[in-house]
Amino acid sequence: MRSWQMQFYWLARLFASDPGLKRFEQAGKVILSVMSSVFTMLLLLFIFQGKAVPAAIIAGVLGMMGILTVADDTEKQKKITTLLLPLASITAVTLGSFLSGYGHLVDAVILLVVVLAFYLQKYGARYFSICMVGFMSIYFASLLRLQPAQLPWLFAGILVGITFAFLYNFVFFKTNPEKVLKRSIRSFHTQTNLAFSLILEMIKDPVTKPERIRKLINNVRRLREYARMISGDLSSAEVHKVWPGVSTNQLRLYVFDSEMLTEALTDAIIKLKSSHALEYTELRRLLVWVVESIRNAEVLAEEYETFHLQEAEKALQGIRFALNDLYTEKEQSGEWLYLVQRIETIANHVIEGAFSIQEAMNKKLSGNELREYLLDVNSEAAEQTDEEEDQEDKEDKEDKYNLPRKKALQALVAGAISIVLGYLLTSTHQYWILLTAFIVLLGTESVGRTYIKAFQRSFGTVLGGIAGFGMALAVEGQQALQLICLFASIFLAFYLFQVSYTLMSFFITMMMALMYDLLLGGVTLQLLGARVLDTIIGAGIAFVVSYWLLPVRTKDKVADLSVEYLEDLKNCLNEYMNHLLSGEQTLLDFTNTAFEMDQKLEEMKNHTKQIFRRAGSLDPSGFSKWINTLGAVHYYAKHLVASSNRTLKREQAPEYRLAILHIKDVLQGNIDIITSLLANERNSAAVRGLEKQRKTIEKGPETDGKREHAQIHLLHYLYYIWPINEALLQLAEDLGAARKDLEEEQETKRHSS
């Protein structure tokens, strides 16, 4: 790749790396709130000759917490929660200050706040926010050795911090879902075009370069993440405010098709090159024409020209003619023709979706049409609300009155152990272990997630401690530079939080090292060593307690998610097979379900993520094989619905109808057996293969040595059904199920011998 191409590639990657600029906006609000709070408090202290320097620190802490901890569902609820935070902080600081002289009474208060933070989550996010702020306020009151005489200035610092948090959250940087969606779509287009450019290089270059393939696969994986994020953005934004006339389902379908086109092209081009199909000059020319035309089309631009999509349509027509000619030659062109046909089908979906979006944007709605359109938009919103409520009801039954109680008990035991060990190890920072245990237990449902978070926290703290000590020594005595490094660490910690928890822990530890240097006039290696040791101990306590006390086993959590995933899959496959049988021209749209299934699979991966990626390491339960098998099912299922004709109108021949009905029954039966095994229910039924039905359809009736078009299309529609069932069979056998067709085959062989 040339130098200017490389620079363009990385520049585009940089702009696309933060879809919707969500991370940048969140980290920006945090750092601006912290800086405004600290400097305002320092200015007030200077003007009124105050000496309570900790007030500036508590102002910065509350400015940060007011942004990060508020997570209510609506903006109105968030505002109320934010306004309640000063009361919680003032109460906590006052208690921490006055109870510091009464032995371990303050320890009991801290432990109570920690337990309540977990337990009260079942009543809403507000109570967690209040308890979290209360805990951090007592923690810093203890860390800074606050005295009652300092309280007035501390109260002022609390009010200043929350005021700036409120202003940056709801006034200066008010959340605008439509603006976020528009940015996310822009990032998605940029990432898509990067993938298309790499695909074009692969098509044009006769040499297959492994490095280019790896880069392309990574780009497609990242694009999949962007599409999933956009699906979430669509649930909170009103699409018609950004692109008038365009519906939510219309945009979701376009994003899904664009993502699937890049995936299909990536896999197909690799296989086409290995089978030497791209040696056909005309096929290579048509593929380049299609990809370039779609890449250059700016579908959602305000000033849009249809030239590129029209060019893509012409290229697709050329591919159709080429396919028709090649299909007339019986078995001569090999299986790669089906790869080209899937590219043609999915590219056609993208082009049709792009044209429909542009038509909707350009259409001038009359009064009645506008009312009908808004009714459709409202019905979409109501449908989404019903789905969200159903999901929330499901979560309520499973988790809200179960998991919070478990986490509260775990926090009680882990907190008590942490406080005792804290006093045994030191008398100056006895709550460091408790802080780490508290944070590691937050947001970790299963033992596996707790283990991963504990490791990441410890590893990031070790690296951050080393880097922070070096940074503190490098900028020692230069207060301006120290402040710049301190604020930069805060910004990077929260900007990279969703990218890597290890990096977040790294920069948080750097921030602590610089803060200690500012407060204590110098940071020692012993102090940072104690910080690292306490972090490792706290993380270890959190993991051991989560493993020993009322554990949510990773295997059980993944099994529950797998059952939910397979239920969605069964519904999709049933509807798909009914679509093939009906022959009616009805729209087949699984995009919303596909994104939900994608999210469930990603959650499964997060619960089973391995820290070391060597084969078999830290994987005693075979999670890798389990997740990889479901990943294969998901891949085939997405391509099944993406490469099908969504407005099918074709009657199937009687022999095909019987085969399709049997395929439907087999798929449903196999999924039911797997879900019962995952739920630890006894099931003596055997899973079944589809070899017989596949042979029936592939053989089919022949006329003059040529395949019928009905058979060709049916083979195309069922292409991914076979690997889906094979993957399901593999999963069922791994779970202990028997396979009926293999038993019958072995029995036949025994009788014949």
Side-chain angles (χ1 to χ4, degrees):
M1 189 180 287
R2 295 173 186 169
S3 175
W4 67 269
Q5 290 177 316
M6 183 68 74
Q7 292 173 6
F8 172 78
Y9 173 81
W10 285 109
L11 187 63
R13 277 285 301 274
L14 177 64
F15 282 112
S17 62
D18 183 13
L21 296 179
K22 296 178 189 175
R23 291 188 286 113
F24 181 80
E25 187 172 298
Q26 179 77 347
K29 285 195 291 187
V30 168
I31 193 61
L32 287 173
S33 182
V34 171
M35 292 174 65
S36 301
S37 302
V38 170
F39 289 131
T40 299
M41 204 60 218
L42 288 174
L43 180 61
L44 291 174
L45 288 167
F46 175 77
I47 293 173
F48 295 101
Q49 299 181 347
K51 297 181 180 180
V53 175
I57 298 171
I58 203 77
V61 171
L62 267 294
M64 178 176 65
M65 299 292 290
I67 299 288
L68 295 175
T69 63
V70 179
D72 299 89
D73 294 329
T74 65
E75 185 173 320
K76 182 180 179 181
Q77 291 173 332
K78 288 180 181 178
K79 288 180 178 178
I80 294 172
T81 300
T82 304
L83 295 175
L84 289 173
L85 295 184
L87 180 61
S89 184
I90 288 171
T91 303
V93 166
T94 304
L95 283 173
S97 176
F98 280 100
L99 295 179
S100 59
Y102 291 89
H104 297 293
L105 190 56
V106 69
D107 302 333
V109 173
I110 288 179
L111 195 55
L112 176 63
V113 173
V114 169
V115 172
L116 289 175
F118 285 101
Y119 184 75
L120 294 178
Q121 285 184 84
K122 67 180 184 180
Y123 298 113
R126 174 174 298 161
Y127 301 99
F128 170 77
S129 304
I130 290 172
C131 291
M132 186 69 177
V133 166
F135 169 76
M136 293 303 294
S137 298
I138 297 179
Y139 172 78
F140 272 92
S142 170
L143 177 68
L144 300 173
R145 307 285 181 179
L146 300 180
Q147 300 300 316
Q150 298 173 297
L151 288 180
W153 277 112
L154 293 174
F155 296 162
I158 291 168
L159 293 173
V160 167
I162 294 298
T163 298
F164 277 109
F166 187 92
L167 290 173
Y168 284 112
N169 241 347
F170 306 112
V171 180
F172 300 147
F173 295 99
K174 186 176 180 180
T175 303
N176 187 331
E178 287 73 34
K179 186 183 293 184
V180 171
L181 176 62
K182 194 169 185 178
R183 291 173 184 163
S184 297
I185 290 291
R186 189 183 302 127
S187 295
F188 179 80
H189 272 154
T190 303
Q191 188 64 39
T192 304
N193 289 343
L194 288 172
F196 282 156
S197 297
L198 289 170
I199 288 168
L200 286 169
E201 291 176 14
M202 283 189 62
I203 297 173
K204 295 175 181 177
D205 193 344
V207 179
T208 301
K209 298 178 180 178
E211 181 183 353
R212 183 180 288 155
I213 293 175
R214 284 194 299 270
K215 186 183 290 186
L216 179 57
I217 291 172
N218 287 333
N219 272 269
V220 172
R221 177 183 53 79
R222 194 169 291 108
L223 185 66
R224 194 180 306 124
E225 295 172 2
Y226 288 11
R228 194 165 54 245
M229 291 179 190
I230 289 173
S231 180
D233 294 338
L234 286 170
S235 62
S236 58
E238 297 183 57
V239 176
H240 66 279
K241 289 185 177 180
V242 187
W243 298 285
V246 179
S247 68
T248 301
N249 288 339
Q250 208 172 12
L251 186 57
R252 183 183 282 113
L253 189 61
Y254 169 73
V255 170
F256 175 78
D257 287 336
S258 299
E259 176 212 337
M260 294 309 301
L261 179 59
T262 58
E263 283 195 26
L265 281 167
T266 299
D267 295 336
I269 297 305
I270 293 172
K271 292 175 182 177
L272 289 172
K273 292 195 79 168
S274 64
S275 62
H276 306 288
L278 290 184
E279 293 176 4
Y280 289 83
T281 306
E282 181 62 12
L283 176 62
R284 189 168 64 249
R285 183 187 71 82
L286 289 170
L287 288 173
V288 169
W289 190 8
V290 169
V291 176
E292 283 185 341
S293 300
I294 294 177
R295 183 192 62 180
N296 296 333
E298 298 180 8
V299 175
L300 293 166
E302 294 180 3
E303 296 180 359
Y304 175 76
E305 296 180 0
T306 59
F307 170 76
H308 295 296
L309 284 181
Q310 290 170 349
E311 287 294 300
E313 223 175 15
K314 293 176 185 176
L316 279 187
Q317 190 61 39
I319 290 177
R320 292 187 192 106
F321 288 143
L323 284 171
N324 287 334
D325 292 340
L326 291 169
Y327 271 131
T328 58
E329 305 173 19
K330 180 185 175 183
E331 303 294 344
Q332 183 174 338
S333 301
E335 190 176 340
W336 61 262
L337 282 177
Y338 291 103
L339 295 172
V340 179
Q341 184 169 359
R342 283 195 297 281
I343 292 174
E344 182 272 328
T345 304
I346 301 176
N348 188 56
H349 290 333
V350 172
I351 294 169
E352 287 180 349
F355 272 125
S356 68
I357 286 174
Q358 279 301 311
E359 183 181 356
M361 290 172 62
N362 295 330
K363 187 177 180 181
K364 303 298 182 182
L365 299 179
S366 64
N368 290 333
E369 289 174 330
L370 182 59
R371 280 192 293 273
E372 290 177 5
Y373 168 72
L374 291 175
L375 283 173
D376 290 339
V377 169
N378 292 331
S379 66
E380 278 185 11
E383 184 180 341
Q384 290 176 2
T385 302
D386 290 341
E387 290 175 359
E388 290 169 3
E389 287 176 355
D390 291 342
Q391 182 66 22
E392 287 176 3
D393 290 341
K394 191 174 183 180
E395 291 174 356
D396 287 346
K397 292 176 184 177
E398 293 184 354
D399 295 326
K400 277 199 172 182
Y401 298 100
N402 190 10
L403 186 62
R405 189 184 301 120
K406 287 183 178 181
K407 299 299 284 188
L409 288 172
Q410 290 175 350
L412 177 62
V413 174
I417 296 172
S418 299
I419 290 174
V420 171
L421 284 178
Y423 276 104
L424 290 176
L425 293 175
T426 179
S427 60
T428 56
H429 40 79
Q430 62 271 21
Y431 298 129
W432 280 1
I433 297 176
L434 173 63
L435 178 64
T436 299
F438 178 40
I439 291 174
V440 169
L441 285 173
L442 280 176
T444 51
E445 295 182 29
S446 64
V447 175
R449 285 299 299 155
T450 307
Y451 172 73
I452 293 166
K453 190 173 181 182
F455 178 86
Q456 291 174 333
R457 182 82 183 182
S458 302
F459 187 61
T461 301
V462 170
L463 296 180
I466 297 170
F469 182 73
M471 179 71 72
L473 290 179
V475 298
E476 189 175 6
Q478 306 175 60
Q479 288 192 350
L481 195 54
Q482 284 176 322
L483 284 173
I484 291 172
C485 293
L486 176 64
F487 291 134
S489 298
I490 296 172
F491 175 82
L492 290 172
F494 295 106
Y495 181 72
L496 297 172
F497 172 58
Q498 293 181 352
V499 176
S500 168
Y501 188 73
T502 302
L503 287 175
M504 185 261 197
S505 302
F506 173 85
F507 285 108
I508 284 290
T509 308
M510 281 191 65
M511 176 198 76
M512 297 297 290
L514 292 164
M515 193 169 71
Y516 291 145
D517 194 37
L518 279 169
L519 291 176
L520 304 177
V523 61
T524 63
L525 190 59
Q526 290 77 12
L527 182 65
L528 279 180
R531 168 72 181 173
V532 171
L533 179 63
D534 289 349
T535 298
I536 294 173
I537 293 173
I541 290 172
F543 169 67
V544 171
V545 170
S546 70
Y547 181 84
W548 169 73
L549 179 63
L550 300 174
V552 177
R553 301 296 181 194
T554 306
K555 187 173 183 178
D556 296 335
K557 182 64 181 177
V558 174
D560 291 341
L561 288 168
S562 299
V563 169
E564 293 177 18
Y565 176 90
L566 289 169
E567 287 296 330
D568 288 341
L569 176 68
K570 184 173 74 171
N571 293 334
C572 285
L573 291 177
N574 280 344
E575 191 172 343
Y576 183 84
M577 302 308 290
N578 289 336
H579 187 68
L580 285 179
L581 289 166
S582 68
E584 296 178 0
Q585 191 166 355
T586 55
L587 180 65
L588 191 68
D589 184 4
F590 295 119
T591 52
N592 199 29
T593 305
F595 282 126
E596 290 175 1
M597 292 168 67
D598 209 34
Q599 188 62 46
K600 288 187 178 76
L601 186 64
E602 190 65 24
E603 192 174 348
M604 282 185 250
K605 290 178 181 178
N606 288 335
H607 280 283
T608 59
K609 188 185 297 178
Q610 295 182 27
I611 297 167
F612 304 105
R613 299 193 179 276
R614 298 190 303 270
S617 67
L618 298 177
D619 193 18
S621 303
F623 284 132
S624 293
K625 190 175 182 181
W626 186 341
I627 298 300
N628 287 339
T629 304
L630 279 176
V633 171
H634 186 65
Y635 170 86
Y636 298 133
K638 284 175 69 178
H639 281 270
L640 175 73
V641 298
S643 60
S644 63
N645 188 333
R646 291 185 181 135
T647 55
L648 180 69
K649 190 176 182 180
R650 182 179 292 109
E651 290 291 335
Q652 304 295 343
E655 60 270 27
Y656 292 155
R657 289 183 63 84
L658 289 173
I660 293 171
L661 282 169
H662 190 81
I663 291 168
K664 177 186 172 184
D665 291 340
V666 168
L667 289 169
Q668 182 172 338
N670 289 347
I671 292 175
D672 287 341
I673 291 170
I674 294 171
T675 52
S676 64
L677 291 171
L678 288 170
N680 294 320
E681 298 174 0
R682 291 185 178 181
N683 195 323
S684 57
V687 290
R688 294 177 290 171
L690 292 171
E691 287 302 314
K692 183 178 179 181
Q693 288 69 37
R694 183 174 184 175
K695 289 176 181 176
T696 299
I697 294 173
E698 287 183 346
K699 183 179 179 181
E702 296 183 359
T703 306
D704 298 330
K706 300 177 182 178
R707 286 184 170 180
E708 291 185 341
H709 283 289
Q711 181 197 10
I712 292 171
H713 285 293
L714 188 57
L715 284 170
H716 171 60
Y717 298 143
L718 295 176
Y719 184 87
Y720 285 107
I721 288 291
W722 321 125
I724 286 175
N725 195 61
E726 284 301 315
L728 290 173
L729 292 175
Q730 181 63 57
L731 182 58
E733 289 180 296
D734 290 341
L735 293 170
R739 183 167 172 175
K740 188 174 182 181
D741 54 342
L742 288 181
E743 290 178 349
E744 291 176 348
E745 185 180 341
Q746 291 169 358
E747 187 68 23
T748 303
K749 287 181 179 179
R750 281 197 297 270
H751 283 301
S752 61
S753 60

